[in-house]
Amino acid sequence: MAIEEKRLILKYADQEGYTNDIDCYIKHGGYEALKKGFQMKPEDICQEVLDSGVRGRGGAGFPAGMKWKFLDRKSGKPIYLICNADESEPGTFKDRQIIHKDPHQLIEGMLCSAYAIQAKLAFIYIRGEFFEGYKILERAIEEARAKNFLGDNILGSDYSCDIIVHRGAGAYICGEETGLIESLEGKRANPRIKPPYFPAALGLYQCPTIVNNVETLCDVKHVITMGSKEFANIGTPGNTGTRIWCVSGHVQKPGYYEFPCAGVTLGELIYDVCGGLLPGRKLKAVIPGGSSSKILRADERFKGKKKDGTEFDWGIEDIPMDFDSLSLVGSMSGSGGVIIMDDSTDMVEALANINYFYAHESCGQCTPCREGVPWMKKITTRMCSGGAREEDVDLLKSIADQIEGRTICAFGEAASWPVQSFIAKFKDEFEAKAKEQALLRKQGEDTAKETSLI
Amino acid sequence: MDLKQSTLDKIDQLVPRYPDMRSAALPLCHLVQEDLGYLSNESIEWIAKRLELEPINISEIVTFYPMLKTAAPGRYQVRVCRTLSCALAGAYKTCKQFEEAFDCKVGSTSDDGLVSLEYVECHADCGRAPVVMVGEKEYTGVKTDEANELIEKIKSGTVETE
Ligand SMILES: Cc1cc2nc3c(=O)[nH]c(=O)nc-3n(C[C@H](O)[C@H](O)[C@H](O)COP(=O)(O)O)c2cc1C
Ligand code: SF4
Ligand code: FES
């Protein structure tokens, strides 16, 4: 293996003998960042986070320091911090590792962040299916409380903060930050419209609220430990720090791998790190940032200009794994969920699988999403069960185009992008399926074939 | 309402921690469901009263969140992840094995009440697909042989559920 991981967040997680209790964490230098943080002024930590350039790891890649700047501090209302541990974007399994193997890192990152934004109460919204993760976090919080890293007058600093672990109950839309907030208020997770409901101004209980992903909050701990300059030296300008890539699908060694941003290309990740494809198989497509991100076709060439004016001309294997490069090729790094598909994959079935997911998860508030997404699912499912029609491709595209940009939350985009990109890149397969079935129908044969993805 | 004392204690500890009592609605649903197996109308009314809400405030969340159940599930709740990464690893085939072994269509409970079988969406462990949960315990890499093993354990009542 040529390429070595460089772990920052998961540095200890898989080391032999490393356990998830507080003693082990402290032995490895744990809670020193918090002590250091308490020597700093809250606003200086905010500045450090801004200077570090750390971008959100939950999906949108928004700079954390900038988000914190938008906090409404004049209202006089309490400020809340929420850790988004809903981890529900298909293909993503990094937050799980942190929660299970190094929960105190998250708690320390949260306390540093809470102190910086002056929140007195913080929440971890954890997806309901993480039964074990929930227990681990509850125990870790009690351990931290016993050592006064959390609770009243933390380490004699005069600053008090509590963390509540709040369990979801199986709805993907709780990952969307305003849906999460509604859910935390004890309601259905119906996302709120922005503006005016930007959490930093009108969040939980209509109070200023910061929502950050698990990995982002861990990064804050490292920004404090290392200082913003050193943190920003990892990766490239605008893409600082490391990222945990979760690789799944048709590779020899699926798993989670941490690298500096742009420290590995997609080709290296697939072939060197993950041991390549299964025997005799060829790469067909990659979804690089969770199922919502636009699919890349293995034989595409990606050309254009970078922000700094230099030109790029990449094959799929050359794409540097970072925020900007993946958006340059028309997709996104999203939540870091890299799904690999080889030449055995039926793309219509794969899209049908994805559409099934979104149809199941729409919260139902907006007509285009509530009606359009199940409609797209119905079409792709029908195509797979023998009822494909020639006009389906255009119909699918027109439905997706009418959802995108016309909904309350970004779920509308999340559900449309797969359809739009699958059709843009694999139109031939959708059309071929319709033709093939038409021919079989003419010959009086059964058009339904056995499927494996739907 | 016949809640265990330990459940009542947990509820009493939890409710005052939230700045707004209504926030405890989902946690209370979880606690009551864990104790009684599912959320009956009586449970819904009880939770509403405990939080000084109307029953509809609880009903609306019970009907929204897939993990909350309004009917008693089978002795073992088998949840098979069917989302893309698991499907690429053979999850649909795994699920068929369960369907056949328990004579139970996905989305229902077997006649003998042994299992409730359902599809679930990505469980955030896609690197170890296919993923199956039995009760609160997660099983990974559940391909043909592993599924058969799991089926035997469920039938003999020796499967771990937490
Ligand atoms: C449909 C949808 C689902 C989302 N799911 C998640 C999720 O599971 N976990 C997460 O951290 N962010 C998720 N997000 C992004 C959050 O809305 C929010 O941007 C993020 O938690 C902010 O944290 P960050 O800035 O640290 O990334 C989702 C967004 C959308 C639109
Ligand atoms: S876009 Fe879909 S998920 Fe988002 S608020 Fe509208 S209906 Fe709900
Ligand atoms: S797709 Fe099954 S765990 Fe993610």
Side-chain angles (χ1 to χ4, degrees), chain A residues 46 49 62-73 78-84 110 113-114 116-119 121-125 177 180-181 184 198-204 207-213 216-217 220:
Chain A
C46 292
V49 171
F62 194 78
M66 194 91 83
K67 189 189 285 189
W68 293 11
K69 254 197 143 128
F70 292 148
L71 260 183
D72 177 5
R73 292 174 186 277
I79 294 169
Y80 296 108
L81 174 70
I82 301 174
C83 167
N84 189 341
M110 283 184 72
S113 307
I117 63 171
Q118 288 291 292
L121 184 58
F123 297 86
I124 302 176
Y125 189 102
E177 55 188 10
L180 186 158
I181 287 170
L184 194 43
F198 288 108
L202 294 170
L204 185 64
C207 297
T209 304
I210 291 295
V211 184
N212 273 129
N213 173 258
T216 316
L217 291 165
V220 170

Side-chain angles (χ1 to χ4, degrees), chain B residues 6-144:
Chain B
S6 60
T7 305
L8 292 168
D9 292 344
K10 277 187 205 158
I11 290 173
D12 290 340
Q13 266 173 22
L14 195 116
V15 175
R17 290 186 72 192
Y18 288 97
D20 182 292
M21 212 160 37
R22 187 167 178 175
S23 282
L26 198 48
L28 255 60
C29 288
H30 274 303
L31 287 171
V32 172
Q33 177 164 294
E34 271 155 29
D35 190 330
L36 302 176
Y38 69 103
L39 296 161
S40 63
N41 281 340
E42 194 195 0
S43 302
I44 289 171
E45 280 166 24
W46 186 89
I47 295 169
K49 203 158 164 217
R50 177 68 182 78
L51 298 177
E52 296 168 24
L53 296 167
E54 294 304 322
I56 182 65
N57 302 138
I58 304 301
S59 282
E60 69 168 16
I61 65 173
V62 171
T63 50
F64 184 86
Y65 295 95
M67 285 178 72
L68 303 179
K69 306 286 177 202
T70 52
R75 179 151 164 237
Y76 295 108
Q77 284 190 66
V78 180
R79 303 176 169 105
V80 182
C81 173
R82 50 123 252 122
T83 316
L84 189 56
S85 306
C86 283
L88 290 170
Y92 275 86
K93 201 166 147 222
T94 299
C95 194
K96 261 204 199 90
Q97 277 176 269
F98 284 111
E99 282 189 315
E100 281 164 18
F102 299 112
D103 190 20
C104 172
K105 277 221 63 82
V106 66
S108 67
T109 301
S110 61
D111 287 341
D112 59 4
L114 184 66
V115 296
S116 296
L117 184 62
E118 64 178 326
Y119 280 140
V120 290
E121 300 302 337
C122 181
H123 265 212
D125 214 352
C126 331
R128 302 191 291 170
V131 172
V132 174
M133 304 266 307
V134 182
E136 298 189 1
K137 170 105 179 154
E138 191 204 31
Y139 293 87
T140 57
V142 188
K143 302 205 179 205
T144 313

